[in-house]
Amino acid sequence: MAGVQVANVSRSFGAHKALDDVSIDFADGGFYALLGPSGSGKTTLLRQIAGFDFPDSGRISIGGESVERVPVEKRRIGMVFQNYALFPNMSVADNVAFGLSVRGENKAVIATEVQRALDLVQLGKLGGRRPHQLSGGQRQRVALARAIVTKPRVLLLDEPLGALDKALRVDMQIELKRIQREIGITTIFVTHDQEEALTMSDRIGILRDGRLVQEGPPEEIYDRPKSEFAATFLGDANIFRGDATGNGIRLPDGTAIAAKVGDRLAGGAKASCAVRPERIRIATDAVVSDAADANMLKGKVSKRIFAGNNSTYFVERAGQTLKVIVQNTGADRLAEGQDVVLRWSPESTVLIAAG
Amino acid sequence: MAGVQVANVSRSFGAHKALDDVSIDFADGGFYALLGPSGSGKTTLLRQIAGFDFPDSGRISIGGESVERVPVEKRRIGMVFQNYALFPNMSVADNVAFGLSVRGENKAVIATEVQRALDLVQLGKLGGRRPHQLSGGQRQRVALARAIVTKPRVLLLDEPLGALDKALRVDMQIELKRIQREIGITTIFVTHDQEEALTMSDRIGILRDGRLVQEGPPEEIYDRPKSEFAATFLGDANIFRGDATGNGIRLPDGTAIAAKVGDRLAGGAKASCAVRPERIRIATDAVVSDAADANMLKGKVSKRIFAGNNSTYFVERAGQTLKVIVQNTGADRLAEGQDVVLRWSPESTVLIAAG
Amino acid sequence: MMTTRILEGLGRFYIGLLLAFLYLPIVIMALMSFNVSPFYQLPFEWTTEWYASLWHNDQLIAATWNSLEIAIVTTVICVVLGSAASLALYRYEFRGKKVLQALLFPPIAIPWLITGTAMLIFFFGVGIGRGLFAILLGHVALALPYVIVVVSARLQTFAPELEEAARSLGANQWQVTMRVTLPWIMPGVIAGGLFAFAVSFDQFVVSYFLATPGQTTLPVEIYAAIRKGFTPEINAVSTIIIVVSMALMLLTARFFKFGGEK
Amino acid sequence: MAVPGATASRSGQRSALPLLAPAYLWLTVAIFLPLSAMVFFSFMTDLPLSGKPWAFTLGNYAAFFSQSLYLTLLLASLRLGLEVTLWCIVIGYPAAYVLAKVLKGRSREAIFLLVILPFWSNGLVRIFSWAMVLREGGILDTALNAVLPFKINIDLMYSYPAVIIGLVHSYVPYMVLTCYLTLQAIDDSLIEAGRSLGASRLQVLKRVIIPLSLPGLVAGAALIFVPVVGSFMEPRILGGRTGTFYGTVIEDQFVAVFNWPLGAALSFILLAVVLVILAVASPVLRRAA
Amino acid sequence: AEVHVLNWKGYGADEPWAIQAFEKATGNKVVNDFFNSEQEMLTKIRTNPGLYDVVMINAAFNNQAMAEKLIQPIDVSKLPNYADISKDKAGSPMLDHDGKVYGVPWVWGLTALAINEKSFDKPPTSIAEMWDPAHKGRVIIRDDAVEAVQFGAIATGQNINDIKDMDAVKTKLTSLMPQIKTFWSSENDWNQMVASNQIDIGTYWSGSADRAKTHFKLPVSLVIPKEGAVAWLDAFSIPAGSKNVEGAQAFINWMIDPKFYVEWVTKVGAPVSANTKAVEALPEDAFNRKVMGDPEVAKRIQFQAPITDAQREAYLALWQQLKVDVK
Ligand SMILES: Nc1ncnc2c1ncn2[C@@H]1O[C@H](COP(=O)(O)OP(=O)(O)OP(=O)(O)O)[C@@H](O)[C@H]1O
Ligand SMILES: Nc1ncnc2c1ncn2[C@@H]1O[C@H](COP(=O)(O)OP(=O)(O)OP(=O)(O)O)[C@@H](O)[C@H]1O
Ligand SMILES: [Mg+2]
Ligand SMILES: [Mg+2]
């Protein structure tokens, strides 16, 4: 199979820089998630790799070989389009069969492969329908089946599971991972579902305004975001801003926050600390429990939002609203308006240079 | 404004029953989430309410008045289509202005309203673009702006935020809720994002194969699912199947599981128990901590999956894989292969009649 | 729901009216082929003599076959060349494209009389001469712009990401065209073909200039016949053609979908 | 929908050539070169063919401007073209709409083909049939008088309306076809979206459907307007006394007096006018889209 | 061998019975081609050198064809029937140049008036009938500039070949325009108009009127007005480069033969033959013999002489102006 190298790629639409000097090395056989706000250039990047559009500058290689002159159909890619792009004139089965059939595959082989792919996306019985007779999620699954049935060397997935319910999405995730591992396809995956990005991918890249902001394995990005943007974009974070001290920062009101993760900064510089809401423990102020938590703040619960397996408490403190996530283990809840103490360890606190 | 009553509505496509005797009462000014697997009939139901399609049987009323003879444009609805359906021949601003302009609104008023709506969806600067020059998420936001700018009495949203990143999605959720509260629009919302459904809606309805499976406030559905399907579809659940005893069930291997929530069942009947993964506490087997947890099982950790603010442990036990969610508070992790004890309380256990 | 039904009924009624308008002269033509008077004189007196004499009019029959052959060949050539050109005009950006598009209009705008004379002189000058081949040459050229204009109109509704999807699945340009683009523009191609057939089959002026004696086409025969005294044989042969093509078309309508797909 | 040049920009001329060459070569040999010869003739005093001496002149073009006759007739022909085109739109567009969006299933294909079929009959024969319908004591006259309680005299033959009817009849299928092609391609969800925003059917038609079907409408209009302006057969036969138009005077130059240079000059003036009209109309129409 | 003949459609030379007999008698096969106007005929010979063997040319155009070297002199000694052609026609300066014969006179006829018998109790005698308000909208004339102008000349009492007062012609024709229903361009038009009783009176060709009456049994009769009528002479020529001159001679001879002519008149209806014997072979009371041969009539008719291109264009300009003014 083949890795994909994107080197210094830029692409503008008129005055708008959709991609700005992006370089990423997608390892052979890896599973790579691309994240970024709406309009940050994810689709544009995939289109460059596929060869539908060409960089203004920079180069793209697949399998070590520059593809500037390789037309789309020779790149051996599979793609799921954000809007699916199913062929309206063909049945579902013919859509899926298309890639095999243009390759001149044997009819019987095609029929088996297509059925297998449709079964895999749980549409085994809908092969005879036309795309316009399908629901949104069903269409998306046809697009997925169509892209994987050809066993491409690079799979480009533009929010391929966005229209699926959770259960189906998990099934598809498992299938995608299985296929990707079995045949070692290099997979590049755009998603807005953070859990999906975190659980499935080997590495994650975050784009913002056409630039690559941070890149690395999921836990690294989650645990050591390099910027406020990365911290808040992937997962949630409480951000404290102040002046760097030797081992943390001092907030404007004088409170010190100790941090053991992230940049080492000289004292006095502007800096931020990021703390994940789930790392903070919340308690009614009377109870003192664990001495290991060096950071502590007092506040008042303003709201609680139920979200299934956990709840988020919004705690007001010195004009800032802090979020605290508490797993819904069935224990008692805190009431709105209650005074609380928040604690967390310096190991859960990431120091970030202001930028 | 106006509530929407759907009474015994059925709709078939050929032999396929897309809606099967569905009755729901969408309260005036309420925020209602529709959930269901792909192809379960959610879009079909919205289309009936909008008046694009007509029920084979049953009736639909808006604001207490049957709308059988009311054409779409008189129903005063706003709709976000699953595929956006932006007018390709108009600029973004003209798309958003459409609803106001057909109403004959004053030009200046339209301009202000459109700009406000575009700012609200954070596309204030893109008014002059054509839809095909937008990214997927940008298109979706245009569709949203277009639907809300007319201040309809009923808002039908078919996965209106599916293509947005988390941060933007949260912003949009807040805006939607604000608008909906301010003008009291009855909102019906299809989503595959469970957290979104749980956090935003007043009530949730779950569809399956065209039938309404369960309906109620989010916490009720989450805490007291009435069927295995509802339990596993909304949120995750570990299901144990066995014979009902007076206060729980007995598994085939003789283990008893106590349950204090859900149906009361006669002893001996087939029954299931559902337990949310976040309600189970996991510990290395030596430690015994809380006597209140009446249910206990032993098992072996087979895998751990990191998902940002929490991790899921997969525990093997008697041929069944159980899931346990643990918040990532920064504490030590369990290793794969480790023997563990799982505990949870009967209050966290829902008894469900086998169906 | 009610209004939808009413509108549908109105729609059908309207189409009925249109068809009545379109077929009124055709019906009269057919009726007159059974009328005794060659001058469309009433009262109507039934006869089949025109069909009988048509049977013996070898020249008219030969001309009809010539017309049919030329029209069919013209249609095939126009559809192929015209679709290819439309695709190129749709897909690629290049200098001079606007000019090429504008060049489609002279053949339509200049009265056929002038085009026909011009062809006659030019073909005579370069040695192509007159005859069925020259007629074919002329007919294709006259019909091509129609095909290109019609197919291009349809192509404008085509979503380019479908071509991209096909190419990402490994289809080469040819396969993309044949299997994705062509099915979508098929209604346009068929419509273009029907136009081309009509332009050729009913083409009098150019054929008239380019036909050699003894090797004429039906419209030329008809025009010439009119000078002498119109005989309803012409109505008869026209009626037969319409009836046969109607039967053929309705038959094919059973087997193909002209609507394309959503 | 149409994203112009999304896949294009790169390849350009070289890729387009093999697809364009056959069609344009054909057009060159069979139309452009002959017409160029005609252009050449239009600057001559006489045809070289006639064996008489000839010289270059601008006189043929000057003739157009020196005699008010030609301008009058050109304007009359343009008006005729416009009226016929408008009638074709008025009659053809709704039919295309019904075919594309109202009728479903088999009947649609069948009706569609039926619309084209009259086209395959001979133009002259069709015109003669119209004479039968329109004249005094003709079908229309007889039928109306049979139905109406009072006596009216319908003699539309040899009049301007007769020309319009004959031309509309000949050309309306173009409009139905080309409009159908683009109407059929409009996604129904766009219509639904329009109505969900409170637009009535009519407003949706005006604001969404017509703009989106404009390419077909424009193609149809061009394919009708352009040849009608130069038409001579229908006006001559159906117009009678009033059937003199720009096309008929061109025909006269070719057929009656053998003054091809003048005839050619007149037709190239016509071509120029038509092209200018199309050029002026197209950006306006594009803006409307 | 083949004889390629260029002629008006339905104008004798393409009658199947005649061709059959000719082919049987001479072994030549006839291939017919047709034209719709004299100009077209000239174009056809110009652009197809060597294709045609016989061409029928109105005597008024013979000169032009000869000047362009489109036709060759005819060896009349090979045409036994040529001797019987009336002297005034055979010697016509329009056909003979430098002592060589370029055209063999075939038939002659008139552009006169024809009436719908249903509309008249008694045939009119004057051309003024066309201007009679009683016939408003029921008059028809041919869409031909030269003919129209010459007709106007007759109506204003002028010589058709030497029109002095063009304005009078124009005024006369202008006042005729509102009377007119439509213009005819082929026999068929005329016959249809009469058959459907849409016209009362109009200009028509003598041969065609005869054909309409004899062959088609239409209520048509020819009127030669007292003011006179336009006469024309049609002649056969042999194009330069003909590949079968012998066949051409045989065909022309066949066409001027009395036997063919009588059959033509009886079966179909025809103009007057230039061959005196042929005319004499007709029954005494035949129209072509009795009326057309009447010396009174002969005095009234004026034969068309060649006209120059400039004249023709001037006539056309006048005619077009009239047609535009009436719109
Ligand atoms: N025109 C049609 N013809 C046949 N079946 C149809 C048609 N439209 C919808 N269906 C079927 O009806 C069922 C319900 O479709 P619907 O679009 O309502 O699903 P949905 O709940 O919106 O799903 P999704 O979440 O995937 O969008 C699906 O199984 C679909 O395949
Ligand atoms: N044809 C175009 N013309 C102008 N701007 C464009 C065009 N295509 C894309 N853009 C702009 O380029 C930027 C990047 O677009 P892209 O589609 O790559 O975003 P994305 O990251 O995929 O976003 P999303 O998550 O919303 O799909 C956007 O701001 C978009 O508006
Ligand atoms: Mg995108
Ligand atoms: Mg849906």
Side-chain angles (χ1 to χ4, degrees), chain B residues 29 36 40 92 119 122 130 132 135 137 140 153 155 165 170 207 230 234 246-247 273 275 283 288 323-324 333 346:
Chain B
S40 57
V92 165
D119 287 341
Q122 303 177 19
R130 286 292 169 98
H132 68 87
S135 78
Q140 194 167 41
R153 46 180 197 169
L155 202 48
D165 57 278
V170 170
L207 284 173
L234 184 70
N247 58 351
C273 281
V275 187
V288 175
K323 290 184 214 163
V324 180
R333 296 170 186 168

Side-chain angles (χ1 to χ4, degrees), chain A residues 34-223:
Chain A
L34 273 186
L35 265 68
S38 175
S40 56
K42 305 179 295 295
T43 301
T44 308
L45 181 58
L46 291 194
R47 289 174 57 82
Q48 309 289 324
I49 297 172
F52 300 136
D53 192 19
F54 301 91
D56 298 331
S57 64
R59 68 194 289 122
I60 293 168
S61 328
I62 301 181
E65 178 198 1
S66 165
V67 290
E68 203 182 345
R69 273 143 200 272
V70 182
V72 181
E73 62 268 27
K74 296 268 164 60
R75 295 194 182 185
R76 294 183 42 219
I77 52 157
M79 178 144 182
V80 172
F81 289 74
Q82 207 168 0
N83 65 355
Y84 320 151
L86 299 181
F87 305 126
N89 56 308
M90 299 180 198
S91 70
V92 164
D94 289 345
N95 261 282
V96 178
F98 187 88
L100 297 173
S101 122
V102 292
R103 215 190 262 169
E105 213 72 67
N106 170 307
K107 283 254 164 65
V109 174
I110 296 182
T112 350
E113 289 290 317
V114 167
Q115 194 53 50
R116 190 180 310 168
L118 284 177
D119 287 340
L120 194 145
V121 296
Q122 303 179 20
L123 292 175
K125 289 193 188 128
L126 301 188
R129 292 243 190 112
R130 286 294 170 94
H132 69 93
Q133 296 174 313
L134 298 182
S135 78
Q138 289 166 339
R139 286 179 209 183
Q140 195 168 43
R141 284 179 280 160
V142 176
L144 188 61
R146 186 177 71 172
I148 58 181
V149 77
T150 57
K151 304 210 170 63
R153 42 179 199 168
V154 179
L155 202 49
L156 305 171
L157 307 172
D158 204 346
E159 298 187 43
L161 310 176
L164 304 184
D165 58 279
K166 188 206 68 184
L168 197 53
R169 177 184 282 238
V170 170
D171 289 350
M172 293 299 114
Q173 287 169 353
I174 293 169
E175 289 297 341
L176 265 180
K177 280 295 271 186
R178 191 180 56 70
I179 294 169
Q180 181 253 341
R181 272 205 219 94
E182 266 174 25
I183 28 180
I185 309 177
T186 309
T187 306
I188 307 173
F189 189 96
V190 172
T191 180
H192 288 308
D193 182 331
Q194 308 218 333
E195 192 177 320
E196 190 165 279
L198 290 168
T199 55
M200 290 184 75
S201 50
D202 303 328
R203 297 180 77 86
I204 289 178
I206 299 181
L207 284 174
R208 183 192 193 185
D209 290 341
R211 295 179 150 277
L212 187 67
V213 171
Q214 189 170 352
E215 195 265 356
E219 294 199 32
E220 180 186 308
I221 297 200
Y222 193 81
D223 288 340

Side-chain angles (χ1 to χ4, degrees), chain A residues 134-138 163, chain B residues 37-44 46-47 82 158-159 190 192:
Chain A
L134 298 182
S135 78
Q138 289 166 339
Chain B
S38 173
S40 57
K42 304 179 293 296
T43 300
T44 309
L46 292 194
R47 289 174 56 82
Q82 208 167 2
D158 204 346
E159 298 187 43
V190 171
H192 288 308

